[in-house]
Amino acid sequence: HDRVYVTRVTGEAFKTFAEYTERVTLLRSRVWSCAFTGKGGMTYEEALQSEKQSAKLLDKFPETYTKAVLEFVQNSTLRLDDLVGTMYNLFGHRLMPGEEVTISSPGLMGGATFPCRVLRATQGEAPSAIQSGGEVKYEVAFEADGAEQRAWVSEAEFERKRAPFSKAVLRRWLLEQATVTSHPKSVSHVMWAVKDAVAEEHGLPASKLGEFLAQVPKRALASVQAPALAKRHKSQGGLPAPAGEPKTPLADLSNMENVAEKMSQEEGRFRQGSLKLACFKVLRDAGASGLAITELARQLTERGLRDMDGDKHSYSKLYSALNSDYAFVWVSRGVFAIRLLAQVGAEAPLTGPQPGKAAGAGE
């Protein structure tokens, strides 16, 4: 029998020890992230355990928010992080019918604090619990003198120790209830669809995923909003934006000549001999679909652009270089592409290697 080498964590079998050690090195590198919580900087095994542990977060999502959140998710075109952030800000300070809270109102129960149940909300003449802006009043029910009483109270009269859910809980629950699909022509365009059984149970509007996939997205980066600047650090005034992030609207990329010109400008930003330039050359030839980290490392070595010996430090440097520059975009787990190509859906290299610009050693 031929000897095979099997990885403990994934159960993959390899015929050569070199292939086996390369795979194990990657699995032990801290380049993995939890698909549900978004936490990164983990080994593959740690990320796997994190995903299993995240199932406990599902029980922390309040049932009273289920339908309202699902209605917001259905047919949303926001990316995952943007969707989670938007919903957290929108629902985090609103109350839902059926929610149990405490209030302290000067005109009720002598100003004492007492429990009540939210019946409905209104903002002007439009009943809603999720209006963004303006004061919302709520009708509540409570026990007084042995009978149920009802009253209208303002947001300021409610007492809530914490938000109904955290971003981590919302993210995990969302990925359990819905799926997100990228447009085949542009990975930057996505649409969410609540799972059929869940949508039917809650009477949600029909999914527009079919219409979304049939449409050809506009191939103009001027209409694509650049990501927000790097989050401010608690102890600092703010961290710089990723290298290469546009400060002004980008040129129209509706034709491939403009794309090629912009690609040439992007390539010219990188320092000669840097790892980022080497990655740009390889990913340029890969097109919009991009390459997995392992395949990118292999091609860098084969093309003589970089000696990626497969140790954990090499993979970490590669992962860091791709994540720190706006020119590159994460398209799926462990897979990166050039942002320009991903946004216009280009599947073929736009320019060939240019003499005198081969990447050497050094970042």
Side-chain angles (χ1 to χ4, degrees):
H1 298 287
D2 294 333
R3 172 177 291 184
V4 295
Y5 302 89
V6 181
T7 59
R8 176 182 61 83
V9 179
T10 63
E12 297 169 289
F14 298 90
K15 292 183 178 180
T16 68
F17 186 70
E19 292 176 324
Y20 165 78
T21 54
E22 180 182 4
R23 184 60 172 170
V24 170
T25 298
L26 177 60
L27 294 175
R28 291 177 178 176
S29 299
R30 295 193 172 278
V31 298
W32 302 93
S33 61
C34 176
F36 296 121
T37 65
K39 181 181 179 181
M42 295 185 284
T43 65
Y44 181 87
E45 187 171 13
E46 290 172 344
L48 197 64
Q49 289 299 320
S50 177
E51 291 175 0
K52 292 180 180 178
Q53 290 293 324
S54 70
K56 298 178 181 179
L57 298 176
L58 295 173
D59 295 332
K60 297 183 179 181
F61 188 85
E63 186 177 350
T64 52
Y65 284 77
T66 298
K67 184 173 183 179
V69 172
L70 289 176
E71 287 176 343
F72 190 90
V73 171
Q74 184 75 312
N75 299 319
S76 172
T77 56
L78 295 175
R79 307 288 290 188
L80 176 58
D81 289 341
D82 293 333
L83 181 59
V84 170
T86 299
M87 291 195 298
Y88 180 80
N89 294 331
L90 190 60
F91 293 98
H93 66 288
R94 295 299 194 220
L95 302 174
M96 289 292 155
E99 190 170 356
E100 302 284 346
V101 293
T102 58
I103 62 173
S104 178
S105 176
L108 297 173
M109 307 285 284
T113 299
F114 59 95
C116 66
R117 184 179 75 259
V118 177
L119 299 177
R120 59 176 175 148
T122 184
Q123 186 178 37
E125 298 180 354
S128 173
I130 58 171
Q131 295 285 340
S132 57
E135 183 181 16
V136 177
K137 287 186 175 294
Y138 297 89
E139 185 180 22
V140 299
F142 55 94
E143 292 291 330
D145 300 326
E148 182 180 271
Q149 304 290 330
R150 296 188 178 190
W152 285 92
V153 295
S154 66
E155 288 181 293
E157 295 172 301
F158 284 93
E159 293 187 5
R160 177 190 266 169
K161 293 182 179 180
R162 60 180 64 89
F165 44 73
S166 65
K167 287 186 178 180
V169 169
L170 178 58
R171 181 189 181 103
R172 180 63 179 89
W173 184 86
L174 168 61
L175 294 174
E176 188 75 16
Q177 307 296 326
T179 57
V180 61
T181 302
S182 296
H183 197 285
K185 296 293 184 181
S186 176
V187 295
S188 64
H189 291 74
V190 302
M191 176 168 280
W192 288 86
V194 176
K195 295 179 180 178
D196 292 341
V198 179
E200 183 178 354
E201 178 185 353
H202 295 282
L204 302 183
S207 171
K208 297 180 180 179
L209 185 59
E211 299 176 23
F212 168 75
L213 295 175
Q215 295 174 349
V216 178
K218 294 180 180 179
R219 294 184 174 183
L221 288 186
S223 64
V224 180
Q225 294 182 351
L229 296 179
K231 296 180 179 178
R232 292 180 179 273
H233 192 280
K234 292 181 179 179
S235 61
Q236 299 176 346
L239 299 177
E245 183 169 342
K247 304 299 188 298
T248 58
L250 298 176
D252 175 36
L253 299 179
S254 56
N255 63 70
M256 298 312 288
E257 289 184 1
N258 288 340
V259 175
E261 180 181 354
K262 190 62 182 177
M263 286 285 290
S264 178
Q265 294 174 0
E266 283 286 87
E267 184 172 349
R269 281 199 305 106
F270 299 116
R271 180 170 57 83
Q272 293 299 310
S274 68
L275 177 58
K276 290 181 181 179
L277 177 58
C279 290
F280 190 90
K281 289 176 177 292
V282 174
L283 291 176
R284 175 188 60 202
D285 296 338
S289 56
L291 292 174
I293 287 286
T294 50
E295 178 61 18
L296 175 58
R298 186 185 69 80
Q299 291 196 28
L300 285 170
T301 301
E302 287 187 353
R303 292 172 59 168
L305 297 173
R306 202 73 169 192
D307 181 16
M308 304 296 294
D309 54 13
D311 63 37
K312 63 180 181 180
H313 298 297
S314 295
Y315 283 120
S316 295
K317 289 180 180 178
L318 186 58
Y319 192 81
S320 176
L322 295 171
N323 272 306
S324 62
D325 199 289
Y326 186 74
F328 308 106
V329 62
W330 181 89
V331 295
S332 63
R333 174 175 289 186
V335 177
F336 288 85
I338 292 177
R339 186 179 297 274
L340 285 171
L341 300 184
Q343 288 175 321
V344 300
E347 291 296 344
L350 300 173
T351 59
Q354 301 178 22
K357 287 191 176 182
E363 172 57 30

